[in-house]
Amino acid sequence: MAQSATLRPAGLPDDVRAMLAEVAARRPRVHCITNTVAQNLTANVLLAIGAEPSMAMHPGEIVAMLAQADAALVNLGTFDEQRGVAAARLMEARDLLRGPVVIDPVMADRSPLRLEFAMRLATLPRAIIKGNRSEMAVLTPFLTKEITRVTTGPVDEIAGPSGKRSINAGHVMLARVTGTGCAAGAMIAAFAAVDADPVAAAAAALTCLGLAGEKAAATASGTGSFATHLLDALSGFSDRSVEEARSGEAR
Amino acid sequence: MAQSATLRPAGLPDDVRAMLAEVAARRPRVHCITNTVAQNLTANVLLAIGAEPSMAMHPGEIVAMLAQADAALVNLGTFDEQRGVAAARLMEARDLLRGPVVIDPVMADRSPLRLEFAMRLATLPRAIIKGNRSEMAVLTPFLTKEITRVTTGPVDEIAGPSGKRSINAGHVMLARVTGTGCAAGAMIAAFAAVDADPVAAAAAALTCLGLAGEKAAATASGTGSFATHLLDALSGFSDRSVEEARSGEAR
Amino acid sequence: MAQSATLRPAGLPDDVRAMLAEVAARRPRVHCITNTVAQNLTANVLLAIGAEPSMAMHPGEIVAMLAQADAALVNLGTFDEQRGVAAARLMEARDLLRGPVVIDPVMADRSPLRLEFAMRLATLPRAIIKGNRSEMAVLTPFLTKEITRVTTGPVDEIAGPSGKRSINAGHVMLARVTGTGCAAGAMIAAFAAVDADPVAAAAAALTCLGLAGEKAAATASGTGSFATHLLDALSGFSDRSVEEARSGEAR
């Protein structure tokens, strides 16, 4: 995501506000098979926008957890045997899934093990693949055009069945806090749980996180307070969108 | 825990202050078998109140770690095979335990695997079971009256051998930060390590966390700063209680 | 690390500034086999000073990850079977390592299992052992004089092939936030990746973290904001060192 020299106007785009209000109203449960480094921030980002995180991975309960979830995330960071088993169970339970699945192929460009898993996961129904340029470069040859593809970078590029979008929001500070990219995947899953168009959902999620990053950077004193302000910005965006939706209904 | 419209008076109840001073003086080590999402916040909450966290789970050392701890916590969030083995070792070492054991049956109402484990753990000496209403509803039929039962909710209800207590403290923001409920279990364990009455210990721990939540919410700008202020409030409560205990001794 | 009654002058020592500028310029990747409690803070500390964290542990990719890293850290906190396998692979790949390896023998004084692992890891080329007094006391009889030994305490003592150093920086608040000691090990690894003298690198890393702790404590309202300010101080030190290095080049 790009650094912007000037702050954007305070208002959030309409599509972001609408989806935030919808997430807060429906509280989608997003089941995350994600890395231990990013688990805490990912859960807090989902809670900040009104979604409900769950993170169980035991082979004896993962299928039940996934079947009841509104969306799923598989992030290949700190991939290990336990996560491998959990991802395999997700593959077997493909017909039980009732929502979209976001796949974040962390370092699939450097690890054949992860590339293999990412390719298999990409065959899941309603799959959305989100990676950086290097990761997407190795994966794209194997992806059909029905799959939503999100390539993050200075400008984020989204392509899928409903068309293409470019998102130019964000701040370099986002790269100096661990787990923000992983949390972006979880936000895409939460938005896609409440919107049938995965391209629109991914665009709104990345715009929302990027604008929160810009807002946080404007007042942060370093990387520690940036992380704190990022969550504050996200929960503030959510609260304001809910209030606006309510006052709109009341009119 | 309930949202309170008005802030309580600044002073902490006497029992909370006394237990905080005792925890800081004795520095109980609380051995936590807990989920990866909440480990960091749980450790920081224990450190904030002057207790000492430990979190080892290797089968080759868990018994030695538990036998030397002043209290234990078993939280069934992100329950996995490693945690299953650790919990089984805890069961085997029941006669070596020298302190109370808090059991947090996270989602035991949704997972037969977790319910089974929670029922077995509830047979440990000095067990304290802390869950939300749904979790406690499935477990209560299996619990004897000697077991301390903590049911969290808008008002927390505590029942055990020494009687019953209701706690009306807290703030809705506590539910928007991951791991606060898990950290509450660790606080109960730390307080129960220094007080022989588990009902009183649980009441003081939940009051302390609830008041810290109210204090944090009064100055937070969102969910990020709320988490930061929550730890600030807890460490401030602890520091102040230690100072008051010292000045009381000096008189 | 010691509590200092008075704040030091704002300026960082020259060696710290020089190494921070070098870390930011070369962005060393530090591969961390570390405990789940400290992973997040460790990654954020490395990012704050401009280094790049990686934390993979799967047996199918750990050797490739280590062989491409500029430094490694093995921290024995929450040691488990997965970490045991990863550490064993590190031993086998000893000839592929291209940088220093920092070993943090957490609780090796209390667990024979960890002592055994620490002794074996200490035979790695360019090993740096960092522990507290109790941990170093049990390990030192087995360490040759070529190994750099860092003993943390009120005053940190560093000894190695190039001589000895004592570091008197830090603040008691550092002990009230989980993972700061583990993050110190990662900072030593990052500094040792860009400086051939491990004694000088360890001295600069502990001075940098200690001064950041003093700066954070001066404005913190408790343990929560202390952790936030600590990262702010580290990223600020890094940013300032980079700017100074650039303006020096420009002159």
Side-chain angles (χ1 to χ4, degrees), chain B residues 12 16-25 27 44-51 187 191 208 212 215 230-248, chain C residues 3 171-177 217 220-226:
Chain B
L12 287 172
V16 174
R17 284 186 296 163
M19 284 196 220
L20 280 171
E22 195 67 17
V23 165
R27 301 191 60 74
N44 278 330
V45 161
L46 287 172
L47 288 169
I49 62 169
M187 282 185 68
F191 279 42
C208 182
K215 189 174 180 199
L230 183 69
L231 287 170
D232 281 357
L234 287 172
S235 63
F237 286 170
S238 173
D239 291 349
R240 197 160 11 118
S241 299
V242 169
E243 279 162 32
E244 285 173 0
R246 276 185 194 147
S247 66
Chain C
Q3 179 172 27
H171 195 278
V172 287
M173 289 289 274
L174 284 162
R176 290 183 71 181
V177 174
S221 309
T223 58
S225 49
F226 175 78

Side-chain angles (χ1 to χ4, degrees), chain B residues 29 36 39-40 43-44 47-50 52 54-61 65 68 82 228 231-232 235 238-239, chain C residues 36-38 40-41 76 78-81 107 110-111 113-114 173 175-178 220-226 228:
Chain B
R29 182 154 72 75
T36 49
Q39 277 186 326
N40 189 276
N44 278 330
L47 288 169
I49 62 169
E52 196 186 328
S54 62
M55 308 233 165
M57 259 177 284
H58 195 291
E61 61 181 20
M65 291 281 181
Q68 294 168 50
Q82 185 186 22
T228 304
L231 287 170
D232 281 357
S235 63
S238 173
D239 291 349
Chain C
T36 48
V37 188
N40 188 276
L41 183 68
L76 300 184
T78 67
F79 205 66
D80 57 16
E81 284 179 54
M107 291 200 197
R110 296 198 217 169
S111 162
L113 182 87
R114 298 188 189 193
M173 289 289 274
R176 290 183 71 181
V177 174
T178 195
S221 309
T223 58
S225 49
F226 175 78
T228 303

Side-chain angles (χ1 to χ4, degrees), chain A residues 194-208:
Chain A
V194 302
D195 194 292
D197 179 354
V199 171
L206 293 179
T207 302
C208 182

Side-chain angles (χ1 to χ4, degrees), chain A:
Chain A
M1 282 170 251
Q3 181 172 27
S4 63
T6 55
L7 259 189
R8 281 149 189 273
L12 286 171
D14 286 348
D15 61 334
V16 174
R17 283 187 296 164
M19 284 196 220
L20 281 172
E22 195 66 17
V23 165
R26 290 167 56 179
R27 301 190 60 74
R29 183 155 70 76
V30 180
H31 195 82
C32 305
I33 300 173
T34 191
N35 68 80
T36 48
V37 188
Q39 276 184 328
N40 188 275
L41 183 67
T42 300
N44 277 330
V45 161
L46 287 172
L47 288 169
I49 61 170
E52 196 186 329
S54 62
M55 307 234 167
M57 260 177 284
H58 195 291
E61 60 181 18
I62 179 84
V63 170
M65 292 280 181
L66 285 164
Q68 294 168 50
D70 301 297
L73 167 73
V74 187
N75 173 298
L76 300 183
T78 69
F79 204 66
D80 55 18
E81 285 180 54
Q82 185 186 22
R83 284 167 174 77
V85 172
R89 290 289 162 98
L90 171 61
M91 295 297 297
E92 293 164 17
R94 59 190 303 144
D95 295 334
L96 298 174
L97 298 175
R98 63 186 196 200
V101 181
V102 174
I103 295 138
D104 191 339
V106 181
M107 292 202 196
D109 53 322
R110 298 198 215 170
S111 162
L113 181 86
R114 298 187 189 193
L115 178 57
E116 167 83 8
F117 253 106
M119 284 169 58
R120 289 169 58 198
L121 290 163
T123 67
L124 287 170
R126 298 183 62 185
I128 300 171
I129 320 287
K130 177 203 78 80
N132 62 30
R133 286 180 185 186
S134 312
E135 292 154 1
M136 294 308 283
V138 298
L139 263 172
T140 299
F142 306 103
L143 303 178
T144 65
K145 284 193 178 162
E146 286 87 63
I147 299 175
T148 302
R149 302 171 298 284
V150 181
T151 307
T152 57
V155 174
D156 303 317
E157 303 288 353
I158 305 166
S162 72
K164 298 189 176 193
R165 290 284 297 274
S166 293
I167 306 297
N168 188 359
H171 195 279
V172 287
M173 290 288 275
L174 284 163
R176 290 183 72 181
V177 173
T178 195
T180 55
C182 306
M187 283 184 67
I188 293 172
F191 279 42
V194 302
D195 194 292
D197 179 354
V199 171
L206 293 179
T207 302
C208 182
L209 183 62
L211 293 176
E214 294 178 15
K215 188 174 181 198
T219 52
S221 309
T223 58
S225 50
F226 174 78
T228 303
H229 295 187
L230 183 69
L231 287 170
D232 281 355
L234 287 171
S235 62
F237 287 171
S238 173
D239 291 347
R240 203 168 357 127
S241 299
V242 169
E243 279 163 31
E244 284 173 1
R246 277 186 195 149
S247 65
E249 283 164 16
R251 245 177 276 150

Side-chain angles (χ1 to χ4, degrees), chain C residues 130-144:
Chain C
K130 178 203 80 76
N132 63 29
R133 287 180 185 188
S134 312
E135 292 155 0
M136 294 308 283
V138 298
L139 263 173
T140 300
F142 306 103
L143 303 178
T144 66

